Amino acid sequence: MRTAIVGAGASGLAAAITLKRECPSMDVVLVEKLAEPGRKLLATGNGRCNLSNTDITVGAYHGDSSTVYRVLTDFGTEECLDFFHSLGLLTLEEEGRIYPLTMNAATVRNVLLEEVARLGVEVRTDFAVGGVAPGFTLTERDSGETLSADFVLLALGGKADAAHGTDGDGYRMLKDLGIRYEPISPALTSLLLQEDLRELKGLRFRGSAALKDGKGDLVAMETGELQFTEGGLTGIPAFQLSGEAAVLSKAGPLPLTLDFCPNLPDVAVLSYLQDRAQSGSPEEPVLHLLTGVVQKRLGQLLLKTCGLPEETPVHRLGTQELANLAGLLKQYPLTVTGTKSFKDAQVTRGGVPADELNDGSLESRRVPGLWFSGELLNVDGACGGYNLHFAWGSGILAAKEIAQRATHQ
């Protein structure tokens, strides 16, 4: 019997290894459109490959919780570590994030490919699948070459970061097979802002970002290091908000507020400014009140927003001016118009939903013998190794299901 795994990325490689281990007699073929397998892995975790996290929970994912639960039930952090240790990979933990000991993504790809070769998995590169006919026959898009299989696992990834092969081919195949998928949008990418803040380009700060919907209701709030770009806002908090922002901004601009003092309550910030104003020289410029709180460029923006020239003497500030300044430090208003495109996104939101799967399985309800894994499913995770963890886990689960089916036929 033969299984064709379409997509030799994280999920496909984990699936191929597991399937061959579970069912040694199975003819396993990894089909990859690029000239080399696992190319996208090299770019993960800024080249360090954040392959999992010590706190893997269903709540770290967006999408179909039932699908996430099914995968994580059999594949938690310990199971992930066991899998990679079985490949000879040593790991380390850094603030909950798990990396290879070498801190080099190439190490992860190398151990995967070495095991694929040792197990005798066939790897077909430069094979861009143009179609999957029930039965199953896979046809190469350009040459017309065909490949037959008894089972197929679609592990092509989503549409994010097309430079590494994930350009959305999987969604075309889903349409051809009559399989419904939830609308897709970029996730884990930068936010685009309506305001022109080019003078802050490159400025980093630790703060909180709160995203609201069109009605003004809070959608989510994230805290961490943020950075202004020429057209928006980046950093992990912005990335975490981007999935919701990409979807909601289609209906119109969204309010976003920044808190530059997330560890201090509003009253403490106001009290600080009042104390500084009273204890300093009356002729001291107002900009100096902010020197110990925010960077100079940010302080200048806050004063500009308040309508206060930065050289204004402190003695000219009234209670209301200080209150306005404190208010902006805690809730600086911005407007999100959208996010960067799939080209700059790390993952894709949307995909094959749970109601297109057999109950408790990753197999297609409509096309028996067809499985899905990784980013093609309607699941996306937070920053911190969650998406790679789901890719490994769903690929391994799909492989185990295929092996079980094969032994009962």
Side-chain angles (χ1 to χ4, degrees), residues 179-212:
I179 297 168
R180 185 180 68 84
Y181 61 89
E182 295 295 332
I184 61 172
S185 57
L188 298 190
T189 187
S190 301
L191 300 174
L192 299 179
L193 300 176
Q194 180 174 287
E195 292 78 10
D196 184 355
L197 300 176
R198 280 177 290 183
E199 68 270 24
L200 297 181
K201 180 181 177 181
L203 187 145
R204 297 174 183 266
F205 65 96
R206 188 182 185 282
S208 294
L211 180 71
K212 298 180 181 180

PDB file of all heavy atoms in Angstrom, residues 179-212:
ATOM      1  N   ILE A 179     -14.255  20.300  -0.984  1.00  0.00           N
ATOM      2  CA  ILE A 179     -14.108  20.380   0.474  1.00  0.00           C
ATOM      3  C   ILE A 179     -14.155  21.846   0.914  1.00  0.00           C
ATOM      4  O   ILE A 179     -13.381  22.672   0.428  1.00  0.00           O
ATOM      5  CB  ILE A 179     -12.796  19.726   0.933  1.00  0.00           C
ATOM      6  CG1 ILE A 179     -12.820  18.237   0.576  1.00  0.00           C
ATOM      7  CG2 ILE A 179     -12.574  19.924   2.429  1.00  0.00           C
ATOM      8  CD1 ILE A 179     -11.487  17.553   0.709  1.00  0.00           C
ATOM      9  N   ARG A 180     -15.051  22.146   1.813  1.00  0.00           N
ATOM     10  CA  ARG A 180     -15.226  23.513   2.290  1.00  0.00           C
ATOM     11  C   ARG A 180     -14.112  23.889   3.264  1.00  0.00           C
ATOM     12  O   ARG A 180     -13.630  23.056   4.020  1.00  0.00           O
ATOM     13  CB  ARG A 180     -16.575  23.650   3.002  1.00  0.00           C
ATOM     14  CG  ARG A 180     -16.928  25.066   3.443  1.00  0.00           C
ATOM     15  CD  ARG A 180     -18.280  25.087   4.146  1.00  0.00           C
ATOM     16  NE  ARG A 180     -18.221  24.401   5.429  1.00  0.00           N
ATOM     17  CZ  ARG A 180     -17.805  24.972   6.553  1.00  0.00           C
ATOM     18  NH1 ARG A 180     -17.398  26.256   6.556  1.00  0.00           N
ATOM     19  NH2 ARG A 180     -17.787  24.304   7.681  1.00  0.00           N
ATOM     20  N   TYR A 181     -13.722  25.166   3.223  1.00  0.00           N
ATOM     21  CA  TYR A 181     -12.770  25.654   4.224  1.00  0.00           C
ATOM     22  C   TYR A 181     -13.171  27.057   4.653  1.00  0.00           C
ATOM     23  O   TYR A 181     -13.768  27.818   3.898  1.00  0.00           O
ATOM     24  CB  TYR A 181     -11.332  25.633   3.697  1.00  0.00           C
ATOM     25  CG  TYR A 181     -11.046  26.479   2.476  1.00  0.00           C
ATOM     26  CD1 TYR A 181     -10.665  27.812   2.595  1.00  0.00           C
ATOM     27  CD2 TYR A 181     -11.161  25.946   1.190  1.00  0.00           C
ATOM     28  CE1 TYR A 181     -10.387  28.589   1.479  1.00  0.00           C
ATOM     29  CE2 TYR A 181     -10.889  26.711   0.061  1.00  0.00           C
ATOM     30  CZ  TYR A 181     -10.506  28.030   0.213  1.00  0.00           C
ATOM     31  OH  TYR A 181     -10.243  28.796  -0.900  1.00  0.00           O
ATOM     32  N   GLU A 182     -12.851  27.365   5.904  1.00  0.00           N
ATOM     33  CA  GLU A 182     -13.159  28.686   6.442  1.00  0.00           C
ATOM     34  C   GLU A 182     -12.311  29.740   5.729  1.00  0.00           C
ATOM     35  O   GLU A 182     -11.177  29.467   5.331  1.00  0.00           O
ATOM     36  CB  GLU A 182     -12.870  28.732   7.944  1.00  0.00           C
ATOM     37  CG  GLU A 182     -13.757  27.825   8.786  1.00  0.00           C
ATOM     38  CD  GLU A 182     -15.212  28.235   8.745  1.00  0.00           C
ATOM     39  OE1 GLU A 182     -15.486  29.443   8.547  1.00  0.00           O
ATOM     40  OE2 GLU A 182     -16.080  27.359   8.903  1.00  0.00           O
ATOM     41  N   PRO A 183     -12.863  30.950   5.533  1.00  0.00           N
ATOM     42  CA  PRO A 183     -12.107  32.010   4.850  1.00  0.00           C
ATOM     43  C   PRO A 183     -10.738  32.209   5.492  1.00  0.00           C
ATOM     44  O   PRO A 183     -10.606  32.148   6.712  1.00  0.00           O
ATOM     45  CB  PRO A 183     -12.992  33.248   5.028  1.00  0.00           C
ATOM     46  CG  PRO A 183     -14.370  32.695   5.196  1.00  0.00           C
ATOM     47  CD  PRO A 183     -14.201  31.398   5.944  1.00  0.00           C
ATOM     48  N   ILE A 184      -9.748  32.450   4.670  1.00  0.00           N
ATOM     49  CA  ILE A 184      -8.381  32.597   5.175  1.00  0.00           C
ATOM     50  C   ILE A 184      -7.961  34.061   5.243  1.00  0.00           C
ATOM     51  O   ILE A 184      -8.440  34.898   4.480  1.00  0.00           O
ATOM     52  CB  ILE A 184      -7.381  31.792   4.316  1.00  0.00           C
ATOM     53  CG1 ILE A 184      -7.389  32.287   2.865  1.00  0.00           C
ATOM     54  CG2 ILE A 184      -7.699  30.304   4.373  1.00  0.00           C
ATOM     55  CD1 ILE A 184      -6.289  31.680   1.999  1.00  0.00           C
ATOM     56  N   SER A 185      -7.060  34.349   6.167  1.00  0.00           N
ATOM     57  CA  SER A 185      -6.509  35.702   6.319  1.00  0.00           C
ATOM     58  C   SER A 185      -5.149  35.584   6.990  1.00  0.00           C
ATOM     59  O   SER A 185      -4.834  34.575   7.619  1.00  0.00           O
ATOM     60  CB  SER A 185      -7.452  36.584   7.147  1.00  0.00           C
ATOM     61  OG  SER A 185      -7.704  36.003   8.410  1.00  0.00           O
ATOM     62  N   PRO A 186      -4.304  36.619   6.866  1.00  0.00           N
ATOM     63  CA  PRO A 186      -2.977  36.570   7.485  1.00  0.00           C
ATOM     64  C   PRO A 186      -3.069  36.610   9.010  1.00  0.00           C
ATOM     65  O   PRO A 186      -3.976  37.228   9.576  1.00  0.00           O
ATOM     66  CB  PRO A 186      -2.286  37.831   6.950  1.00  0.00           C
ATOM     67  CG  PRO A 186      -3.127  38.307   5.812  1.00  0.00           C
ATOM     68  CD  PRO A 186      -4.516  37.861   6.104  1.00  0.00           C
ATOM     69  N   ALA A 187      -2.128  35.965   9.675  1.00  0.00           N
ATOM     70  CA  ALA A 187      -2.030  36.021  11.131  1.00  0.00           C
ATOM     71  C   ALA A 187      -0.556  36.026  11.520  1.00  0.00           C
ATOM     72  O   ALA A 187       0.300  35.576  10.757  1.00  0.00           O
ATOM     73  CB  ALA A 187      -2.759  34.844  11.775  1.00  0.00           C
ATOM     74  N   LEU A 188      -0.287  36.526  12.718  1.00  0.00           N
ATOM     75  CA  LEU A 188       1.073  36.719  13.209  1.00  0.00           C
ATOM     76  C   LEU A 188       1.876  37.578  12.226  1.00  0.00           C
ATOM     77  O   LEU A 188       2.853  37.150  11.617  1.00  0.00           O
ATOM     78  CB  LEU A 188       1.780  35.367  13.453  1.00  0.00           C
ATOM     79  CG  LEU A 188       1.151  34.464  14.514  1.00  0.00           C
ATOM     80  CD1 LEU A 188       2.071  33.292  14.820  1.00  0.00           C
ATOM     81  CD2 LEU A 188       0.796  35.221  15.782  1.00  0.00           C
ATOM     82  N   THR A 189       1.411  38.808  12.088  1.00  0.00           N
ATOM     83  CA  THR A 189       2.080  39.779  11.225  1.00  0.00           C
ATOM     84  C   THR A 189       1.888  41.177  11.825  1.00  0.00           C
ATOM     85  O   THR A 189       1.257  41.329  12.871  1.00  0.00           O
ATOM     86  CB  THR A 189       1.532  39.698   9.790  1.00  0.00           C
ATOM     87  OG1 THR A 189       2.316  40.539   8.938  1.00  0.00           O
ATOM     88  CG2 THR A 189       0.070  40.121   9.712  1.00  0.00           C
ATOM     89  N   SER A 190       2.416  42.192  11.168  1.00  0.00           N
ATOM     90  CA  SER A 190       2.353  43.556  11.696  1.00  0.00           C
ATOM     91  C   SER A 190       0.990  44.197  11.461  1.00  0.00           C
ATOM     92  O   SER A 190       0.282  43.855  10.505  1.00  0.00           O
ATOM     93  CB  SER A 190       3.437  44.419  11.035  1.00  0.00           C
ATOM     94  OG  SER A 190       4.715  43.897  11.273  1.00  0.00           O
ATOM     95  N   LEU A 191       0.645  45.132  12.329  1.00  0.00           N
ATOM     96  CA  LEU A 191      -0.573  45.915  12.179  1.00  0.00           C
ATOM     97  C   LEU A 191      -0.278  47.160  11.344  1.00  0.00           C
ATOM     98  O   LEU A 191       0.790  47.761  11.464  1.00  0.00           O
ATOM     99  CB  LEU A 191      -1.102  46.354  13.549  1.00  0.00           C
ATOM    100  CG  LEU A 191      -1.457  45.245  14.545  1.00  0.00           C
ATOM    101  CD1 LEU A 191      -1.830  45.863  15.892  1.00  0.00           C
ATOM    102  CD2 LEU A 191      -2.597  44.385  14.016  1.00  0.00           C
ATOM    103  N   LEU A 192      -1.234  47.552  10.518  1.00  0.00           N
ATOM    104  CA  LEU A 192      -1.120  48.781   9.741  1.00  0.00           C
ATOM    105  C   LEU A 192      -1.960  49.862  10.412  1.00  0.00           C
ATOM    106  O   LEU A 192      -3.095  49.606  10.820  1.00  0.00           O
ATOM    107  CB  LEU A 192      -1.605  48.553   8.305  1.00  0.00           C
ATOM    108  CG  LEU A 192      -0.829  47.501   7.495  1.00  0.00           C
ATOM    109  CD1 LEU A 192      -1.420  47.364   6.099  1.00  0.00           C
ATOM    110  CD2 LEU A 192       0.643  47.846   7.418  1.00  0.00           C
ATOM    111  N   LEU A 193      -1.399  51.071  10.513  1.00  0.00           N
ATOM    112  CA  LEU A 193      -2.065  52.159  11.206  1.00  0.00           C
ATOM    113  C   LEU A 193      -2.450  53.280  10.250  1.00  0.00           C
ATOM    114  O   LEU A 193      -1.750  53.548   9.268  1.00  0.00           O
ATOM    115  CB  LEU A 193      -1.163  52.725  12.303  1.00  0.00           C
ATOM    116  CG  LEU A 193      -0.729  51.747  13.400  1.00  0.00           C
ATOM    117  CD1 LEU A 193       0.246  52.437  14.352  1.00  0.00           C
ATOM    118  CD2 LEU A 193      -1.943  51.221  14.165  1.00  0.00           C
ATOM    119  N   GLN A 194      -3.540  53.939  10.559  1.00  0.00           N
ATOM    120  CA  GLN A 194      -4.001  55.077   9.763  1.00  0.00           C
ATOM    121  C   GLN A 194      -3.122  56.303   9.997  1.00  0.00           C
ATOM    122  O   GLN A 194      -2.866  57.097   9.084  1.00  0.00           O
ATOM    123  CB  GLN A 194      -5.444  55.388  10.151  1.00  0.00           C
ATOM    124  CG  GLN A 194      -6.064  56.546   9.406  1.00  0.00           C
ATOM    125  CD  GLN A 194      -7.545  56.672   9.756  1.00  0.00           C
ATOM    126  OE1 GLN A 194      -8.367  55.873   9.335  1.00  0.00           O
ATOM    127  NE2 GLN A 194      -7.872  57.683  10.558  1.00  0.00           N
ATOM    128  N   GLU A 195      -2.628  56.443  11.213  1.00  0.00           N
ATOM    129  CA  GLU A 195      -1.828  57.605  11.582  1.00  0.00           C
ATOM    130  C   GLU A 195      -0.428  57.551  10.957  1.00  0.00           C
ATOM    131  O   GLU A 195       0.152  56.467  10.812  1.00  0.00           O
ATOM    132  CB  GLU A 195      -1.689  57.690  13.108  1.00  0.00           C
ATOM    133  CG  GLU A 195      -2.986  58.008  13.830  1.00  0.00           C
ATOM    134  CD  GLU A 195      -3.912  56.812  13.970  1.00  0.00           C
ATOM    135  OE1 GLU A 195      -3.485  55.669  13.687  1.00  0.00           O
ATOM    136  OE2 GLU A 195      -5.067  57.012  14.354  1.00  0.00           O
ATOM    137  N   ASP A 196       0.078  58.710  10.592  1.00  0.00           N
ATOM    138  CA  ASP A 196       1.430  58.816  10.042  1.00  0.00           C
ATOM    139  C   ASP A 196       2.413  59.019  11.195  1.00  0.00           C
ATOM    140  O   ASP A 196       2.524  60.100  11.752  1.00  0.00           O
ATOM    141  CB  ASP A 196       1.504  59.995   9.061  1.00  0.00           C
ATOM    142  CG  ASP A 196       2.868  60.093   8.375  1.00  0.00           C
ATOM    143  OD1 ASP A 196       3.779  59.305   8.738  1.00  0.00           O
ATOM    144  OD2 ASP A 196       3.029  60.947   7.491  1.00  0.00           O
ATOM    145  N   LEU A 197       3.112  57.955  11.555  1.00  0.00           N
ATOM    146  CA  LEU A 197       4.052  58.004  12.681  1.00  0.00           C
ATOM    147  C   LEU A 197       5.467  57.687  12.223  1.00  0.00           C
ATOM    148  O   LEU A 197       6.233  57.023  12.920  1.00  0.00           O
ATOM    149  CB  LEU A 197       3.605  57.018  13.768  1.00  0.00           C
ATOM    150  CG  LEU A 197       2.219  57.260  14.375  1.00  0.00           C
ATOM    151  CD1 LEU A 197       1.871  56.157  15.360  1.00  0.00           C
ATOM    152  CD2 LEU A 197       2.163  58.625  15.056  1.00  0.00           C
ATOM    153  N   ARG A 198       5.802  58.181  11.041  1.00  0.00           N
ATOM    154  CA  ARG A 198       7.131  57.881  10.503  1.00  0.00           C
ATOM    155  C   ARG A 198       8.262  58.390  11.388  1.00  0.00           C
ATOM    156  O   ARG A 198       9.356  57.839  11.384  1.00  0.00           O
ATOM    157  CB  ARG A 198       7.270  58.488   9.095  1.00  0.00           C
ATOM    158  CG  ARG A 198       6.622  57.645   8.019  1.00  0.00           C
ATOM    159  CD  ARG A 198       6.703  58.309   6.662  1.00  0.00           C
ATOM    160  NE  ARG A 198       5.842  59.486   6.584  1.00  0.00           N
ATOM    161  CZ  ARG A 198       5.674  60.217   5.483  1.00  0.00           C
ATOM    162  NH1 ARG A 198       6.339  59.898   4.376  1.00  0.00           N
ATOM    163  NH2 ARG A 198       4.859  61.257   5.480  1.00  0.00           N
ATOM    164  N   GLU A 199       7.983  59.433  12.167  1.00  0.00           N
ATOM    165  CA  GLU A 199       9.039  59.963  13.038  1.00  0.00           C
ATOM    166  C   GLU A 199       9.393  58.983  14.161  1.00  0.00           C
ATOM    167  O   GLU A 199      10.429  59.125  14.821  1.00  0.00           O
ATOM    168  CB  GLU A 199       8.622  61.310  13.641  1.00  0.00           C
ATOM    169  CG  GLU A 199       7.485  61.252  14.649  1.00  0.00           C
ATOM    170  CD  GLU A 199       6.109  61.403  14.014  1.00  0.00           C
ATOM    171  OE1 GLU A 199       5.970  61.103  12.813  1.00  0.00           O
ATOM    172  OE2 GLU A 199       5.181  61.843  14.726  1.00  0.00           O
ATOM    173  N   LEU A 200       8.543  57.982  14.365  1.00  0.00           N
ATOM    174  CA  LEU A 200       8.801  56.979  15.406  1.00  0.00           C
ATOM    175  C   LEU A 200       9.355  55.673  14.841  1.00  0.00           C
ATOM    176  O   LEU A 200       9.560  54.709  15.589  1.00  0.00           O
ATOM    177  CB  LEU A 200       7.519  56.684  16.190  1.00  0.00           C
ATOM    178  CG  LEU A 200       6.903  57.832  16.977  1.00  0.00           C
ATOM    179  CD1 LEU A 200       5.661  57.356  17.720  1.00  0.00           C
ATOM    180  CD2 LEU A 200       7.902  58.427  17.960  1.00  0.00           C
ATOM    181  N   LYS A 201       9.602  55.627  13.549  1.00  0.00           N
ATOM    182  CA  LYS A 201      10.064  54.388  12.916  1.00  0.00           C
ATOM    183  C   LYS A 201      11.286  53.826  13.638  1.00  0.00           C
ATOM    184  O   LYS A 201      12.263  54.513  13.877  1.00  0.00           O
ATOM    185  CB  LYS A 201      10.412  54.658  11.455  1.00  0.00           C
ATOM    186  CG  LYS A 201      10.904  53.421  10.701  1.00  0.00           C
ATOM    187  CD  LYS A 201      11.245  53.752   9.263  1.00  0.00           C
ATOM    188  CE  LYS A 201      11.798  52.530   8.548  1.00  0.00           C
ATOM    189  NZ  LYS A 201      12.160  52.850   7.130  1.00  0.00           N
ATOM    190  N   GLY A 202      11.184  52.546  14.001  1.00  0.00           N
ATOM    191  CA  GLY A 202      12.288  51.861  14.662  1.00  0.00           C
ATOM    192  C   GLY A 202      12.269  51.960  16.176  1.00  0.00           C
ATOM    193  O   GLY A 202      13.025  51.243  16.848  1.00  0.00           O
ATOM    194  N   LEU A 203      11.424  52.807  16.736  1.00  0.00           N
ATOM    195  CA  LEU A 203      11.393  52.982  18.191  1.00  0.00           C
ATOM    196  C   LEU A 203      10.731  51.766  18.855  1.00  0.00           C
ATOM    197  O   LEU A 203       9.623  51.367  18.501  1.00  0.00           O
ATOM    198  CB  LEU A 203      10.633  54.256  18.546  1.00  0.00           C
ATOM    199  CG  LEU A 203      10.641  54.668  20.017  1.00  0.00           C
ATOM    200  CD1 LEU A 203      10.671  56.185  20.146  1.00  0.00           C
ATOM    201  CD2 LEU A 203       9.436  54.116  20.777  1.00  0.00           C
ATOM    202  N   ARG A 204      11.425  51.183  19.827  1.00  0.00           N
ATOM    203  CA  ARG A 204      10.918  50.040  20.580  1.00  0.00           C
ATOM    204  C   ARG A 204      10.510  50.480  21.982  1.00  0.00           C
ATOM    205  O   ARG A 204      11.135  51.368  22.567  1.00  0.00           O
ATOM    206  CB  ARG A 204      11.988  48.945  20.700  1.00  0.00           C
ATOM    207  CG  ARG A 204      12.429  48.329  19.383  1.00  0.00           C
ATOM    208  CD  ARG A 204      13.593  47.370  19.617  1.00  0.00           C
ATOM    209  NE  ARG A 204      14.095  46.795  18.388  1.00  0.00           N
ATOM    210  CZ  ARG A 204      13.707  45.630  17.887  1.00  0.00           C
ATOM    211  NH1 ARG A 204      12.820  44.895  18.560  1.00  0.00           N
ATOM    212  NH2 ARG A 204      14.207  45.179  16.755  1.00  0.00           N
ATOM    213  N   PHE A 205       9.500  49.838  22.520  1.00  0.00           N
ATOM    214  CA  PHE A 205       9.074  50.125  23.885  1.00  0.00           C
ATOM    215  C   PHE A 205       8.300  48.921  24.425  1.00  0.00           C
ATOM    216  O   PHE A 205       7.780  48.105  23.666  1.00  0.00           O
ATOM    217  CB  PHE A 205       8.184  51.378  23.927  1.00  0.00           C
ATOM    218  CG  PHE A 205       6.867  51.216  23.204  1.00  0.00           C
ATOM    219  CD1 PHE A 205       5.712  50.875  23.897  1.00  0.00           C
ATOM    220  CD2 PHE A 205       6.792  51.407  21.831  1.00  0.00           C
ATOM    221  CE1 PHE A 205       4.498  50.723  23.229  1.00  0.00           C
ATOM    222  CE2 PHE A 205       5.584  51.252  21.153  1.00  0.00           C
ATOM    223  CZ  PHE A 205       4.433  50.913  21.867  1.00  0.00           C
ATOM    224  N   ARG A 206       8.259  48.819  25.728  1.00  0.00           N
ATOM    225  CA  ARG A 206       7.444  47.779  26.348  1.00  0.00           C
ATOM    226  C   ARG A 206       6.116  48.387  26.748  1.00  0.00           C
ATOM    227  O   ARG A 206       6.065  49.399  27.456  1.00  0.00           O
ATOM    228  CB  ARG A 206       8.125  47.180  27.574  1.00  0.00           C
ATOM    229  CG  ARG A 206       7.379  45.965  28.114  1.00  0.00           C
ATOM    230  CD  ARG A 206       7.998  45.386  29.357  1.00  0.00           C
ATOM    231  NE  ARG A 206       7.297  44.165  29.752  1.00  0.00           N
ATOM    232  CZ  ARG A 206       6.126  44.130  30.379  1.00  0.00           C
ATOM    233  NH1 ARG A 206       5.527  45.278  30.698  1.00  0.00           N
ATOM    234  NH2 ARG A 206       5.555  42.976  30.697  1.00  0.00           N
ATOM    235  N   GLY A 207       5.039  47.809  26.285  1.00  0.00           N
ATOM    236  CA  GLY A 207       3.730  48.357  26.584  1.00  0.00           C
ATOM    237  C   GLY A 207       2.629  47.360  26.311  1.00  0.00           C
ATOM    238  O   GLY A 207       2.873  46.193  26.006  1.00  0.00           O
ATOM    239  N   SER A 208       1.402  47.835  26.426  1.00  0.00           N
ATOM    240  CA  SER A 208       0.226  47.019  26.133  1.00  0.00           C
ATOM    241  C   SER A 208      -0.518  47.618  24.946  1.00  0.00           C
ATOM    242  O   SER A 208      -0.562  48.845  24.784  1.00  0.00           O
ATOM    243  CB  SER A 208      -0.714  46.963  27.338  1.00  0.00           C
ATOM    244  OG  SER A 208      -0.122  46.276  28.412  1.00  0.00           O
ATOM    245  N   ALA A 209      -1.084  46.746  24.141  1.00  0.00           N
ATOM    246  CA  ALA A 209      -1.898  47.175  23.001  1.00  0.00           C
ATOM    247  C   ALA A 209      -3.275  46.545  23.142  1.00  0.00           C
ATOM    248  O   ALA A 209      -3.391  45.316  23.288  1.00  0.00           O
ATOM    249  CB  ALA A 209      -1.249  46.753  21.688  1.00  0.00           C
ATOM    250  N   ALA A 210      -4.314  47.367  23.131  1.00  0.00           N
ATOM    251  CA  ALA A 210      -5.686  46.885  23.277  1.00  0.00           C
ATOM    252  C   ALA A 210      -6.452  47.149  21.985  1.00  0.00           C
ATOM    253  O   ALA A 210      -6.587  48.298  21.557  1.00  0.00           O
ATOM    254  CB  ALA A 210      -6.370  47.583  24.445  1.00  0.00           C
ATOM    255  N   LEU A 211      -6.940  46.077  21.365  1.00  0.00           N
ATOM    256  CA  LEU A 211      -7.689  46.186  20.106  1.00  0.00           C
ATOM    257  C   LEU A 211      -9.182  46.133  20.399  1.00  0.00           C
ATOM    258  O   LEU A 211      -9.649  45.291  21.172  1.00  0.00           O
ATOM    259  CB  LEU A 211      -7.301  45.030  19.168  1.00  0.00           C
ATOM    260  CG  LEU A 211      -7.999  45.004  17.808  1.00  0.00           C
ATOM    261  CD1 LEU A 211      -7.490  46.136  16.924  1.00  0.00           C
ATOM    262  CD2 LEU A 211      -7.775  43.655  17.122  1.00  0.00           C
ATOM    263  N   LYS A 212      -9.924  47.039  19.765  1.00  0.00           N
ATOM    264  CA  LYS A 212     -11.375  47.051  19.913  1.00  0.00           C
ATOM    265  C   LYS A 212     -12.038  46.820  18.560  1.00  0.00           C
ATOM    266  O   LYS A 212     -11.426  47.040  17.518  1.00  0.00           O
ATOM    267  CB  LYS A 212     -11.832  48.394  20.499  1.00  0.00           C
ATOM    268  CG  LYS A 212     -11.271  48.656  21.895  1.00  0.00           C
ATOM    269  CD  LYS A 212     -11.736  49.988  22.442  1.00  0.00           C
ATOM    270  CE  LYS A 212     -11.139  50.236  23.825  1.00  0.00           C
ATOM    271  NZ  LYS A 212     -11.576  51.546  24.386  1.00  0.00           N
TER     272      LYS A 212
END
